[in-house]
Structures are given as C-alpha cells and as structure tokens.
Amino acid sequence: MSKGKLSPFWKQSYVTTAVCINIIGHGCVLGFPAVLLPQLQAPGAAITFSKETESWVASVHTVSMIVGYFLTPPIMERMGRKAAQYAVSIPFLIGWFITVMATNVEALIISRILQGISSGLLTTLRSVVIGEYTSPKNRGAFLTTISLAQAFGIFFVHLVGSLLSWQMTALICAFFAYASLVMTFYIPESPSWLVAKGRHEECRRVFHWLRGDDENEELEEMITARLAFEKAIIGNSSSKVGRFERMWETACKKEFYKPIILMIHANILMQFSGGTTMAAYSTVIIGLLMGPGVNVHFWMVFLDTQRIISNSAAVYVINRIKRRTMMFSTGALCVVSHLAISAYVYARKEGLFLYDAIWLPALLINIHFFTVAVGMVPMPNVIAGEVFPLEHRSLCGTISLTTGGSFMFVALKTFPQLIDSTRLDGTYLIYAVILALNLAVIWVLLPETKDKTLQQIEDEFRGRPLRPEEVEAKQSLQMDPVEAYMSKLSLRSVSSVVL
C-alpha cells in the first residue's frame, strides 16, 4: 500500500468521516418518529394506527439495538472492522428503503427493527474503529465527533422532515448509509485486527499508511504484546480453576459490581432526562407545552440547533470541570427544569396564571434541553469510559450498553401512555422523581474520576489500593511485554470527553 499524497491526519479524518456518516444516519433513526408520526396522524394519511402501535413504531428499534450489541464483537473479531462497518450500513439501507415503500404499519416496524440492529452494531463499533485507526495526539478530538454527529443527524431529519414528506425524508436519510458503505470500501483493515490474526507484515504496511513513520514504537509494542498475549493464553489453558468459579470470583469484586450498578442508574438518568423522548416525540411535547398555535417544526429545529451548540460547548466544559460537579450541577438543574415545566403546565391548565407569554415555556424547554445536551447525555458516556476495570472492560461495557438500550425502550414505549393518563405535567413530575432517585444513588457510588488513572479509579471502587502481595503477583511477569504494555495503558490519564 503506497503512502500517497495525503498526510496521516487526513487519512485518519477520512476513516472517522466514514464512521460519523453512519452515526448521522443513527441520529436520523432516533429523530424520524417526530417526522413520521405527526404526518400519519393527519387526516387522509395513507397509513393509520392506534396509540399502542404508535409507541411501538417509536420504540421497537431500541429492542433490536440490544441484538446489535451482541452481534458486533463476534463480527469484529472474526471478520474484521471493515466487515463490521459493512454490517452496519446494509441494514440501515434496507430499512430506509422499506420505509420509503411502506404501505402498512408492519413494514414500518420491520424497517425500524433493521435500523435498530444497525444502531446497536454501530454503538459498539464506532469508538473501537476511531480509537484503533487514529493517532493518540488526535484521538480525543476525533472521538468527540461521535456525539456531535448524532446530534446533527437528529437536527437534519427534523429539518428535512419539516419541509418534505416522510417518504422523501427516508429516501434522503438512506444516502448516509450508502455514502458510508462506499467510503468503507476504500478503508484498509484495522492494524489491531491484522496483528491479532498474525498478519504482521500487512499490519505494518497499514499502520505506516495511517500513521506515517513517526509512531513505530506503538506499532512494535502492539505486535510484541500480541505475541506475548498468545503465549500467556497457551500457558493459562492448563489452569484447573473452573470457568464458573472465575465468574463468581469476578462478580463478587467491588471494582466489578459497583461500576455496573453505577452505570445502570446513570443510563436510567440519561434515558429519562428527556433527550430520548424529545428526539422521537418533540412535536408532541412542544405542542403540549407551548400551545396548539405554536409552529412546532420551527421550535423542533431550533432546539436541535441548540443541542448541537451545547454539545460543542460540552466538549470544552467537561474537560475542565470535575466529573461530580458536572454531573450533579446539570442533574439538579435538569430535575428543577422538569418540576418547573410540570408546574407551568399544571398552572396554565388550572387558569392560575395572571400573565402568560410564549417566552416562558420557551425559556423552560431551552433550559431543559441545555441540561440534556451538556450533562445528562454526555456525562454517562464519559463515566462509562472511566469507571470500568481494565480487566473486565468488555463485559462491563456490554452490560452497560444493554441496560441503556433497555431503558431507552421503556422510555419511548411508555411515553404516549403516560401522556394520555397523566398528561404532560404528570409525566414530567414522574420523570423528575426518577431523576432525583437515580442522582441520589449516583451521589453515593460515583468517585471523582477526572485526572485520575484507571488504576486509581479501580482502587477507589475496591476501597483500598492493591496489597503488596497483589502488586507482586501483578508484577511477577514484569518483563512480560503484555504486562508492560497494559500497565502503560492503565497509567494514562483518562480525561477523554467521549468513550
């Protein structure tokens, strides 16, 4: 593979762009119900359905996302990162085309299921691909594009859907999956996957093409570590300790179960803070909050724009403020905004306002959206990248993603029923209680992680640093390249904004 004229930075930018275009498509999937459902509820719509079916159309993709979470690791490990990228793009494409041609609710649900599988595949894959293909000096900046790309996808589908029919909107959204599919064709395989398959010479060629000739130390460390890792696996295969004994021993470790409990509550916080429901039901929420005469499509696009700006600001702010300070300040403000919206809607309904103007609900919903974009959505992702022990990060990450997808389904599935039974004021009051309870649990479990190494964070969850004999056991293979390499990784400062 020749070097070509492009610098390593632009080659890494190309790979990141191919991933981010699919992330934009994922954002379109999240925001599409806000375009689809109002048009199908209009008189004379070609497809009609009940409230129950409406909630399934909005939420069913979150169930199939869980399937995608479990499909990604075997595809990545056995077939490579490029194959996993293809696996993401193809169901997206098929799903959008089924949507375009849909004449009944069943076709819409099938398309959403396919798109959910792609979204689950992508959620697990995106950070791995960007992390493996990019240089350490640029990796943090490239990773921050994940949340921005998703926010832009929601903004894009809401903007286009406010101008065009839902069929035309779906057809335009299909372009993102197609573009990523074509771009992936020109991307080399990941150096990390190549070295794992023993293709060392090809790994060296790809690594030099991606990184240039200035990072050979990382390349040689990666190859040496992999060789030593394979040797260690062979040595451990004769161990007499059973698999279930090792699993139980792992599950009883504080540094294993405490971060998982923490992330379960952080995921509940993220899904019920309003970002998920606003993406899918924004026209409903805006109409109920600001009144039937308001231009809901204008405010939908306006709030999406604010979300992109706030996400950009979060990149700067989160990197400079302590994690607990950021989590609980934005969390408390989010609870207050939910209570304020609930009180406003109730007071207006009961005729308690002597003065009412459009700026008041607009201010409340903007404050709410600010807390979602700056704290409630990015902070759980940041924490997930820092609290899991290095040894069990893959397992913990899978559990975290699965619980996150499950609670996303619950939030989207129950929202229409909550609105019907408790109206908007009751729904937001229930959400405020859920947020407050989960913030209380997070207050107890979350240590300060900013500017700490992974090992320091793990020690804090354990309640003590490693005992001398444990340190000695870990250092007994001090000359083993695997131990040296993983130790270097664990001692890196973990202040990256995005996992």
Side-chain angles (χ1 to χ4, degrees):
M1 192 174 293
S2 61
K3 285 187 179 181
K5 296 181 180 180
L6 291 176
S7 68
F9 174 80
W10 289 110
K11 293 171 183 175
Q12 294 166 34
S13 297
Y14 178 83
V15 175
T16 303
T17 301
V19 177
C20 284
I21 288 176
N22 257 337
I23 297 172
I24 293 173
H26 170 57
C28 291
V29 171
L30 293 176
F32 188 66
V35 172
L36 173 68
L37 299 178
Q39 293 189 29
L40 294 184
Q41 291 165 353
I47 303 174
T48 58
F49 47 75
S50 64
K51 280 280 186 181
E52 177 70 17
T53 307
E54 172 187 325
S55 65
W56 276 110
V57 171
S59 63
V60 70
H61 80 283
T62 60
V63 179
S64 54
M65 279 179 68
I66 298 173
V67 177
Y69 297 152
F70 290 96
L71 288 177
T72 306
I75 294 175
M76 282 198 304
E77 295 306 316
R78 295 178 186 177
M79 304 174 67
R81 287 19 171 184
K82 282 189 68 172
Q85 274 283 84
Y86 291 137
V88 168
S89 299
I90 292 172
F92 267 146
L93 266 177
I94 297 173
W96 284 121
F97 285 127
I98 292 176
T99 301
V100 172
M101 297 182 291
T103 57
N104 52 55
V105 175
E106 289 77 12
L108 291 175
I109 290 178
I110 290 171
S111 70
R112 298 284 290 173
I113 289 173
L114 289 172
Q115 292 167 343
I117 293 174
S118 282
S119 296
L121 288 164
L122 177 63
T123 303
T124 312
L125 175 70
R126 59 196 184 186
S127 296
V128 173
V129 171
I130 294 176
E132 290 182 353
Y133 279 80
T134 57
S135 301
K137 61 182 179 181
N138 300 321
R139 191 167 294 150
F142 282 127
L143 284 170
T144 58
T145 59
I146 292 175
S147 57
L148 291 176
Q150 182 171 307
F152 177 78
I154 296 172
F155 162 80
F156 180 84
V157 74
H158 286 172
L159 175 63
V160 174
S162 65
L163 302 173
L164 302 174
S165 67
W166 59 269
Q167 294 98 331
M168 285 299 300
T169 302
L171 185 62
I172 293 171
C173 290
F175 167 79
F176 293 111
Y178 176 75
S180 182
L181 190 67
V182 173
M183 292 181 71
T184 302
F185 183 78
Y186 297 99
I187 292 174
E189 187 51 82
S190 163
S192 299
W193 185 80
L194 290 172
V195 75
K197 297 301 178 182
R199 294 155 62 174
H200 298 159
E201 291 307 313
E202 188 177 351
C203 169
R204 287 189 170 91
R205 289 198 303 272
V206 172
F207 191 93
H208 288 144
W209 184 84
L210 279 168
R211 308 283 193 88
D213 299 323
D214 299 330
E215 301 180 19
N216 283 330
E217 182 182 354
E218 181 180 347
L219 170 64
E220 296 306 324
E221 281 183 338
M222 180 171 62
I223 293 174
T224 305
R226 180 65 195 185
L227 292 172
F229 175 76
E230 292 171 355
K231 180 181 177 181
I233 290 295
I234 295 173
N236 290 334
S237 61
S238 59
S239 175
K240 295 183 179 180
V241 180
R243 176 180 298 180
F244 290 106
E245 286 83 353
R246 288 197 299 269
M247 289 173 59
W248 176 252
E249 183 181 348
T250 298
C252 292
K253 293 179 179 178
K254 292 181 180 179
E255 63 271 26
F256 178 80
Y257 68 78
K258 280 189 174 181
I260 290 177
I261 296 173
L262 169 65
M263 283 311 305
I264 288 174
H265 288 84
N267 282 321
I268 296 174
L269 194 74
M270 178 168 59
Q271 301 305 336
F272 286 93
S273 63
T276 299
T277 50
M278 182 60 79
Y281 299 108
S282 54
T283 53
V284 175
I285 296 172
I286 293 169
L288 292 173
L289 176 60
M290 305 182 73
V294 73
N295 187 339
V296 293
H297 292 291
F298 165 79
W299 282 104
M300 180 172 64
V301 174
F302 178 86
L303 290 170
D304 290 337
T305 306
Q306 190 236 56
R307 182 173 185 168
I308 293 174
I309 296 171
S310 299
N311 270 330
S312 302
V315 174
Y316 176 85
V317 174
I318 291 176
N319 221 24
R320 285 158 178 79
I321 297 180
K322 290 183 177 181
R323 302 290 186 257
R324 285 181 61 89
T325 302
M326 193 70 184
M327 170 61 81
F328 296 114
S329 59
T330 56
L333 186 58
C334 189
V335 172
V336 171
S337 69
H338 274 75
L339 292 173
I341 289 173
S342 177
Y344 168 80
V345 173
Y346 177 80
R348 188 181 63 188
K349 179 181 63 181
E350 298 296 325
L352 301 179
F353 272 117
L354 298 177
Y355 168 78
D356 191 17
I358 192 66
W359 67 265
L360 184 54
L363 175 64
L364 292 177
I365 199 168
N366 272 278
I367 293 174
H368 172 218
F369 232 54
F370 173 80
T371 63
V372 169
V374 174
M376 295 297 92
V377 171
M379 282 308 300
N381 290 325
V382 173
I383 293 169
E386 298 178 330
V387 298
F388 294 139
L390 192 63
E391 183 181 358
H392 309 294
R393 174 156 294 187
S394 177
L395 175 60
C396 292
T398 300
I399 295 172
S400 177
L401 287 171
T402 304
T403 57
S406 301
F407 291 121
M408 183 188 295
F409 169 76
V410 172
L412 292 175
K413 185 71 178 68
T414 59
F415 183 81
Q417 287 78 17
L418 281 174
I419 290 293
D420 287 342
S421 58
T422 66
R423 293 173 293 198
L424 187 66
D425 52 327
T427 301
Y428 268 65
L429 180 61
I430 292 171
Y431 283 3
V433 173
I434 292 173
L435 295 177
L437 291 175
N438 283 277
L439 277 172
V441 175
I442 295 171
W443 178 276
V444 174
L445 292 177
L446 178 65
E448 182 52 61
T449 60
K450 187 178 185 299
D451 297 329
K452 291 185 178 179
T453 66
L454 297 180
Q455 188 60 56
Q456 290 171 336
I457 296 169
E458 184 177 331
D459 289 343
E460 190 152 355
F461 277 112
R462 186 185 295 108
R464 57 174 177 79
L466 290 172
R467 294 190 296 269
E469 59 269 24
E470 292 173 320
V471 175
E472 184 178 352
K474 290 189 77 172
Q475 293 179 344
S476 61
L477 300 175
Q478 189 171 2
M479 301 307 294
D480 191 326
V482 174
E483 295 295 323
Y485 185 60
M486 298 305 288
S487 175
K488 179 184 287 189
L489 286 178
S490 69
L491 291 174
R492 288 179 180 171
S493 177
V494 284
S495 297
S496 177
V497 176
V498 180
L499 172 61

